Amino acid sequence: MQHVTPARTRAVMRLIFALSAAMLTSLVPARAHAQTAVEGTARIQGSVRGRGSLRPLAAEVRIIGTDTLVLRADPQGAWRTPALPYGSYRIRVRMPGYAAHDERVTLDGSAGSAATLRRSITLDETAVALDQVVVTAARRSQRLKDAVTSVEVITRADIVRSGGSDLATALLQRTGIALQGGHPSGTGVMLQGIGSERVLVLLDGQPVSGRISGVFDVSRIPAEMVERVEVIKGSQSALYGTDAMGGVINIITRAPMQGSVESAIGLTMGTQARRDGSARVSGGRRGLLGGLDVSRRGTETTPGRNALNGALTARTDLAAKIRWSGDSTRAVRDSGTRMLHSIELSGLSLDERQRWRSGTLFAFADNRQWNARVAGTVTRGAHRLAPTFSASSFDHLSRSSVLGKPIAGDTGQRQRQRVLQGELLYNGRVGPNGVHALDVGTIVRRDETETERVRGGLRSITSVEPFAQLEVAFSPAFTAVSGVRVTRSSQWGTHVTPRVALRHHVTPSVTVRASAGEGFRAPDFKELFMVFQNQNAGYAVLGNAMLQPETSRNASVGADWNGAGSFVRGNLFYNRYRNFIETQAISGSGEAPVYQYGNIDDGTTAGVELETGTTFGGLGGLRVDAAYNGLVTRDAATGQPLLGRPAHSARLSVGVATPWRGRLNVAGAWTGRTPMERDGAARVTGWRDGFLRTDARLTLPVRALHTDAQFLLGADNLFDRRPAQWAGYTGRHLFTGFSWTLHRNVAP
């Protein structure tokens, strides 16, 4: 064996260390160079807008890498990330009412360590927005897909796309929502074959005065002030009391902007001497927000009436809303529970002038209306308390003249209505882990009317109405609701209204809903106290102070399927009504006719509602919607169908992107043959022919700096179909509009 000396050992060790040092010296620069190539940071910045309108969207933006960063675009649709390490990321953008956007990007430092990657994202509208928040179905905020009752939402985008200056135009384009002509003028709404006298219209959840002969004219509401409309068909009296037999139309006004100041103007001109102008300013910061809308609308038509000869409608509107919100976390920090509170003040003022031909005379209607609301909320954990006070006043003056203007000094016939309501509402989560929901409230309401046509000139009715609703979640997929309302009236006594409903998510895409309940409508002042004599025609109409509320029973069952950008929805309904209030002759043979109101009419309405829609994102945002409504009505006394109710109606609409980032929408609404007149034996003798109305809209948006401008070209009833006995003007209407909006961010 060879002997290894210590000197040789030391020499070998020195050689090994030298070789190791050389290797390390050669590797370190290479490693440092590799790090320089892969390490660094950059930002991603972008904007989100709706296709066609270029409307900025305050969408949710998720940046997904090793971790997930969640951002919210500002009111101008802009967003920006902090510095992110180089690498691959996925950008996901979500906004209720729009198809999701998903893309991959890479930050690789090719533009330098301080580079910013810019993305301009355009979202297509979806056929249905399940994550949209609604408030009407349960008197609290909830997602549309979680509502036990089916809710139809007409969004702000739908309203703008309609091109109308009033709410009636947007409603006209929906299947299953029929418009009725009013007396003396106006446009009412009929749901499921139940007339407009029995459909409740709310403004931000509160009642509004302004019915003439039982009809609330929805064309009186300016479109510019409306954020969305929530429509629930079928009896909702357990939650909303009188007038909700056919359903509820809740008009949600526009909320002030958060974190931005918005200024906007709009101008529209069209045939039939249409001249519309509007202006809006909105914004705020640090919990205080405010908004103001002003509009002026004019046309040579009258709502609810077909003739143009001598017709005129002019309206001036003013709407305002102020909201303050605060956080009392410090006051309850010991309990570890956050307390939020807010107060909102809103008001609406309407001034309307109408004129139309009535035989050889001109008829005039001057209407002034104002509504005010003060609403507060206190939220602590899963519990919310919301007191609200609202007041509504409506002043209606009717006159006539052989001239095109009222006769000087003619005081005419005046009617004043007032509704005062105080409400205290509690919403809370109860049970294990708060899986159940409890809604309890009490309403005190006072209705007044002042007119020479009622006994005593001034009458009032006070009612107290406690209600409760319990939503029980038997499982995450199955929910049942039971509710009841007790109405105590100073005029006609007490009425109890129950309701039950079920919702089952069969799969994440399929939901089944069913409900059954009762509805009622209290007799109004005209029906209770009227004293009217028509000297020229030789007849009289008297009220009946012994009238009881009308009642109904409603049952419905439906299902909907929602996929990626598509939906299918179906619903079956049945309404059985009793004691509807109508006039009946009380005079003897040979005497001048005298009629009196009575609880005399019974009958049924039943039908089917079908709707589908889909969006094709790869075809220029092509969107197709279709719907069909079938209706069967029957008067119990005669066995004949009810007048003014079409047995069939349908709708088809198509929207597609156009060059220059525009969008074209074409919609056809078909209303089937409708019974309109009866003979003395109650047989139907007069029919209104079927009517196909075709509307077209072309929008051309322009985006520059912080401004948005949009041009609109439109045609209502493009092919000039003119059926007789239609509620409102049916001729062709052509119009063009321009809107301009300026956004400015404000410091938080």
Side-chain angles (χ1 to χ4, degrees):
M1 178 179 295
Q2 185 177 5
H3 179 69
V4 180
T5 64
R8 176 175 286 187
T9 301
R10 288 193 295 270
V12 172
M13 293 298 295
R14 285 196 296 268
L15 179 60
I16 293 174
F17 281 127
L19 292 173
S20 298
M23 292 176 64
L24 288 173
T25 302
S26 63
L27 288 174
V28 168
R31 183 178 180 87
H33 178 75
Q35 282 185 329
T36 302
V38 299
E39 291 184 355
T41 60
R43 300 176 185 271
I44 309 175
Q45 152 180 330
S47 62
V48 186
R49 295 186 170 274
R51 188 182 301 277
S53 67
L54 287 187
R55 178 187 180 190
L57 303 176
E60 177 191 85
V61 181
R62 290 179 178 262
I63 309 298
I64 304 173
T66 304
D67 298 314
T68 299
L69 175 65
V70 181
L71 306 171
R72 173 69 65 177
D74 65 21
Q76 296 181 36
W79 55 273
R80 179 183 174 90
T81 71
L84 300 173
Y86 291 156
S88 178
Y89 294 88
R90 172 171 289 174
I91 302 176
R92 289 181 177 172
V93 183
R94 302 287 188 272
M95 181 71 182
Y98 293 83
H101 174 86
D102 200 322
E103 69 170 300
R104 278 196 174 276
V105 298
T106 300
L107 301 180
D108 56 11
S110 59
S113 60
T116 298
L117 179 65
R118 291 176 170 81
R119 310 301 298 169
S120 180
I121 297 172
T122 303
L123 301 184
D124 295 310
E125 292 185 27
T126 57
V128 65
L130 294 178
D131 288 330
Q132 181 162 356
V133 174
V134 295
V135 297
T136 310
R139 299 186 73 99
R140 54 181 158 83
S141 298
Q142 60 182 164
R143 293 183 302 175
L144 182 62
K145 67 180 179 181
D146 294 331
V148 175
T149 304
S150 181
V151 183
E152 182 171 356
V153 181
I154 302 173
T155 66
R156 178 67 193 164
D158 295 329
I159 295 171
V160 172
R161 190 162 45 243
S162 74
S165 62
D166 56 62
L167 184 59
T169 304
L171 293 174
L172 181 64
Q173 298 179 2
R174 317 297 290 200
T175 303
I177 302 177
L179 300 184
Q180 293 181 296
H183 173 78
S185 65
T187 305
V189 178
M190 180 169 59
L191 301 176
Q192 294 187 346
I194 304 296
S196 57
E197 302 93 332
R198 300 160 180 100
V199 173
L200 179 62
V201 179
L202 301 173
L203 187 66
D204 288 324
Q206 299 299 304
V208 291
S209 58
R211 290 183 181 269
I212 302 176
S213 297
V215 175
F216 183 89
D217 181 14
V218 291
S219 71
R220 200 181 303 143
I221 302 297
E224 183 58 33
M225 60 161 281
V226 180
E227 178 63 30
R228 70 181 187 275
V229 182
E230 298 178 6
V231 181
I232 304 182
K233 302 170 186 176
S235 174
Q236 302 298 316
S237 291
L239 274 181
Y240 290 100
T242 183
D243 300 340
M245 299 178 68
V248 174
I249 296 177
N250 190 9
I251 304 164
I252 312 296
T253 57
R254 298 180 69 179
M257 297 289 292
Q258 171 69 54
S260 174
V261 173
E262 178 187 84
S263 303
I265 60 172
L267 299 171
T268 303
M269 301 178 65
T271 55
Q272 292 77 52
R274 178 179 174 183
R275 302 290 186 273
D276 299 337
S278 65
R280 172 177 172 81
V281 61
S282 172
R285 64 176 188 172
R286 294 180 181 176
L288 182 61
L289 308 173
L292 178 67
D293 292 278
V294 180
S295 67
R296 173 72 176 177
R297 300 172 284 154
T299 180
E300 291 182 352
T301 63
T302 309
R305 305 185 70 88
N306 205 335
L308 288 180
N309 184 23
L312 175 69
T313 300
R315 300 182 175 106
T316 303
D317 318 303
L318 175 67
K321 181 177 286 189
I322 299 174
R323 180 181 176 84
W324 175 83
S325 58
D327 186 341
S328 298
T329 303
R330 293 181 180 178
V332 293
R333 61 189 175 189
D334 294 337
S335 67
T337 303
R338 190 179 187 187
M339 180 180 289
L340 304 174
H341 45 268
S342 67
I343 185 169
E344 184 173 280
L345 292 80
S346 60
L348 169 66
S349 175
L350 307 173
D351 190 291
E352 178 181 58
R353 299 289 182 269
Q354 295 179 348
R355 183 186 68 193
W356 66 93
R357 273 281 191 183
S358 180
T360 59
L361 300 177
F362 284 99
F364 304 91
D366 298 341
N367 300 316
R368 292 187 177 92
Q369 181 170 359
W370 62 263
N371 303 274
R373 181 180 68 101
V374 180
T377 61
V378 178
T379 304
R380 183 173 180 179
H383 306 280
R384 174 179 176 270
L385 193 65
T388 303
F389 175 79
S390 63
S392 180
S393 175
F394 182 72
D395 189 325
H396 169 68
L397 173 64
S398 61
R399 293 173 288 180
S400 61
S401 169
V402 295
L403 305 175
K405 60 182 180 179
I407 299 173
D410 182 6
T411 57
Q413 293 183 335
R414 186 177 296 274
Q415 177 180 328
R416 296 184 177 92
Q417 304 170 21
R418 288 178 289 273
V419 179
L420 305 176
Q421 178 171 297
E423 173 183 302
L424 183 62
L425 176 64
Y426 165 80
N427 307 115
R429 309 297 302 186
V430 297
N433 300 318
V435 297
H436 311 310
L438 178 64
D439 309 294
V440 180
T442 299
I443 289 175
V444 178
R445 171 170 168 163
R446 181 178 178 86
D447 291 81
E448 297 180 349
T449 189
E450 182 179 0
T451 174
E452 61 185 27
R453 291 189 176 185
V454 302
R455 297 186 184 95
L458 174 64
R459 291 281 180 165
S460 65
I461 298 175
T462 301
S463 61
V464 179
E465 306 177 53
F467 62 91
Q469 176 174 275
L470 178 63
E471 182 176 310
V472 179
F474 292 100
S475 71
F478 183 72
T479 299
V481 170
S482 61
V484 65
R485 187 186 196 95
V486 179
T487 303
R488 174 65 180 173
S489 169
S490 62
Q491 174 63 33
W492 45 261
T494 302
H495 189 82
V496 179
T497 312
R499 174 202 184 204
V500 294
L502 304 171
R503 186 214 65 217
H504 180 43
H505 291 307
V506 181
T507 70
S509 300
V510 178
T511 301
V512 176
R513 294 179 174 87
S515 66
E518 294 190 359
F520 79 96
R521 183 184 77 90
D524 63 23
F525 291 96
K526 168 177 63 70
E527 295 160 344
L528 288 167
F529 308 117
M530 171 177 275
V531 178
F532 173 70
Q533 292 183 335
N534 190 322
Q535 301 289 349
N536 294 328
Y539 72 91
V541 181
L542 305 178
N544 182 355
M546 302 303 294
L547 290 174
Q548 293 296 303
E550 303 174 339
T551 61
S552 70
R553 291 184 176 179
N554 167 268
S556 66
V557 59
D560 55 78
W561 169 84
N562 295 276
S566 302
F567 78 96
V568 178
R569 181 185 301 135
N571 185 56
L572 298 172
F573 64 87
Y574 174 83
N575 296 289
R576 176 75 167 93
Y577 62 87
R578 296 180 183 275
N579 297 323
F580 270 21
I581 299 172
E582 302 289 348
T583 56
Q584 56 186 339
I586 61 172
S587 54
S589 177
E591 298 177 347
V594 178
Y595 302 90
Q596 186 176 44
Y597 288 99
N599 295 106
I600 59 175
D601 205 2
D602 299 340
T604 59
T605 72
V608 59
E609 300 167 330
L610 302 173
E611 190 174 7
T612 185
T614 188
T615 301
F616 303 92
L619 298 175
L622 175 65
R623 174 174 169 175
V624 180
D625 294 271
Y628 166 78
N629 271 57
L631 179 66
V632 178
T633 64
R634 180 179 178 273
D635 180 86
T638 65
Q640 297 295 310
L642 302 180
L643 299 181
R645 276 79 170 172
H648 307 281
S649 59
R651 161 176 69 89
L652 176 65
S653 63
V654 178
V656 66
T658 67
W660 304 292
R661 298 181 297 183
R663 189 165 185 85
L664 175 65
N665 291 274
V666 179
W670 176 70
T671 303
R673 192 165 178 256
T674 305
M676 298 300 294
E677 298 175 357
R678 286 199 183 110
D679 60 14
R683 293 171 299 192
V684 176
T685 57
W687 294 80
R688 183 179 66 204
D689 293 335
F691 174 38
L692 176 61
R693 168 181 164 139
T694 305
D695 299 336
R697 306 283 187 269
L698 175 63
T699 56
L700 297 172
V702 178
R703 169 69 176 167
L705 299 177
H706 295 290
T707 66
D708 295 301
Q710 180 170 278
F711 295 91
L712 173 67
L713 298 174
D716 292 335
N717 193 16
L718 183 62
F719 301 109
D720 202 22
R721 307 290 186 186
R722 301 199 181 200
Q725 304 185 65
W726 190 261
Y729 175 67
T730 57
R732 182 190 294 117
H733 174 62
L734 306 176
F735 61 92
T736 182
F738 169 79
S739 63
W740 173 87
T741 305
L742 172 66
H743 298 279
R744 289 290 183 185
N745 286 337
V746 296

